[in-house]
């Protein structure tokens, strides 16, 4: 399957700690995107990283891409209760193909 | 206030009935998408459209139909041929055309369909 894996499936951390989620894929990508979904809501785009980029930042979010290992990670620093959500990576394998979503990581922030 | 809207938020259907889910966007996006999400799972693509009057099947199109008569609207019909339609349905759009498929997608709030 081209979908690859996201891990962990679920993550529970204390408020203030950092959270790291990983996304792997099996064939070369054009770009990779991270989305957040609060329970019962639509997805919200967080960051898009292209195959020629290695790292991007947005506020407390840091995304890295290692094309040699075919993996990406999303780091959320200084977590807050409002970060509780599911996080999905979506891969685009070629510039003409549609993106494919993984099954996500459910993040819970304990107060 | 630009965005993408879906209606209704909750929908109940009897077995054997067709039902249509609405999706409207005022973002002037060319591409629109329909996804299905089952509990605890990711999104699976049902249909997508890159331009008005054109659409393509996604990974799980059987039992669904769409139309794209206007740029702003991409309604999804869940037909009686869909054997397990109870799910959360999400509509999205992205700027286009051309490389639209790889661009950031903007999502609506979703419609939760339950078959009674």
């Amino acid at each position: 399957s081209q979908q690859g894996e996201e891990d962990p499936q679920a993550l529970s951390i204390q408020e203030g700690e950092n959270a790291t989620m990983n996304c792997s894929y099996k064939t070369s990508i054009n770009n990779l995107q991270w989305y957040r979904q609060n329970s019962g809501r639509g997805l919200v785009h967080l960051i898009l990283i292209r195959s020629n980029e290695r790292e991007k930042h947005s506020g407390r979010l840091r995304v890295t891409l290692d094309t040699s290992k075919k993996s990406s990670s999303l780091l959320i620093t200084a977590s807050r209760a409002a970060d509780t959500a599911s996080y999905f990576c979506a891969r685009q394998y070629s510039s003409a193909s549609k993106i494919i979503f993984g099954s996500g990581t459910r993040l819970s922030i304990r107060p | 206030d630009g965005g993408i809207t879906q209606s209704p938020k909750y929908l109940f259907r009897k077995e054997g009935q067709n039902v249509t889910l609405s999706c409207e966007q005022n973002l002037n996006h060319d591409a629109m998408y329909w996804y299905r999400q089952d509990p605890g799972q990711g999104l699976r693509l049902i249909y997508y459209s890159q331009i008005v009057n054109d659409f393509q099947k996604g990974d799980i199109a059987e039992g669904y139909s769409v139309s794209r008569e206007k740029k702003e609207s991409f309604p999804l019909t869940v037909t009686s041929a869909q054997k397990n339609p109870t799910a959360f349905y999400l509509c999205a759009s992205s700027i286009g055309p051309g490389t639209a498929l790889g661009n950031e997608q903007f999502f609506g709030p979703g419609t939760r369909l339950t078959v009674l």
Side-chain angles (χ1 to χ4, degrees):
Chain A
S1 163
Q2 285 187 320
Q3 288 192 3
E5 300 289 335
E6 288 164 276
D7 77 274
Q9 288 188 325
L11 179 62
S12 179
I13 62 172
Q14 203 74 31
E15 191 168 13
E17 293 180 338
N18 295 344
T20 300
M21 290 158 271
N22 302 295
C23 171
S24 63
Y25 52 93
K26 297 185 178 179
T27 58
S28 297
I29 58 168
N30 184 57
N31 75 54
L32 187 146
Q33 303 176 35
W34 285 92
Y35 289 80
R36 183 187 74 234
Q37 183 182 34
N38 290 92
S39 181
R41 313 286 287 272
L43 279 70
V44 174
H45 183 266
L46 298 175
I47 291 180
L48 182 154
I49 188 164
R50 302 192 185 282
S51 58
N52 62 351
E53 297 175 311
R54 292 297 167 258
E55 187 170 311
K56 291 188 86 168
H57 297 254
S58 177
R60 293 184 296 112
L61 306 181
R62 173 182 167 232
V63 167
T64 59
L65 180 65
D66 187 334
T67 53
S68 65
K69 296 181 179 177
K70 293 186 171 58
S71 69
S72 174
S73 65
L74 169 66
L75 169 68
I76 303 174
T77 60
S79 63
R80 304 168 182 170
D83 295 327
T84 294
S86 291
Y87 292 82
F88 294 90
C89 74
R91 311 149 183 87
Q92 190 198 28
Y93 289 98
S94 74
S95 60
S97 67
K98 56 192 184 295
I99 66 174
I100 298 174
F101 286 85
S103 55
T105 293
R106 293 186 305 281
L107 175 65
S108 298
I109 309 299
R110 303 190 302 271
Chain B
D1 185 25
I4 182 165
T5 59
Q6 292 183 242
S7 62
K9 187 172 182 178
Y10 298 97
L11 189 57
F12 298 89
R13 188 195 94 175
K14 293 182 180 179
E15 282 194 37
Q17 285 183 336
N18 292 355
V19 63
T20 298
L21 282 60
S22 168
C23 178
E24 303 278 334
Q25 55 99 358
N26 61 3
L27 300 169
N28 200 32
H29 286 171
D30 288 287
M32 297 187 75
Y33 312 80
W34 274 105
Y35 293 93
R36 170 181 171 139
Q37 186 177 32
D38 292 286
Q41 298 192 31
L43 278 64
R44 291 185 290 168
L45 183 65
I46 305 172
Y47 268 99
Y48 64 103
S49 167
Q50 296 186 73
I51 200 163
V52 174
N53 292 322
D54 187 53
F55 49 83
Q56 288 83 39
K57 292 181 179 180
D59 301 314
I60 55 165
E62 185 175 352
Y64 300 98
S65 66
V66 293
S67 62
R68 187 84 188 278
E69 297 176 1
K70 297 187 300 181
K71 188 175 185 177
E72 302 79 20
S73 180
F74 191 40
L76 173 74
T77 297
V78 184
T79 74
S80 56
Q82 170 51 236
K83 298 305 178 187
N84 185 22
T86 294
F88 189 50
Y89 291 87
L90 287 160
C91 180
S93 69
S94 64
I95 198 166
T99 57
L101 295 179
N103 291 340
E104 168 187 357
Q105 293 189 12
F106 293 76
F107 282 81
T111 292
R112 190 167 299 280
L113 172 64
T114 303
V115 173
L116 303 173

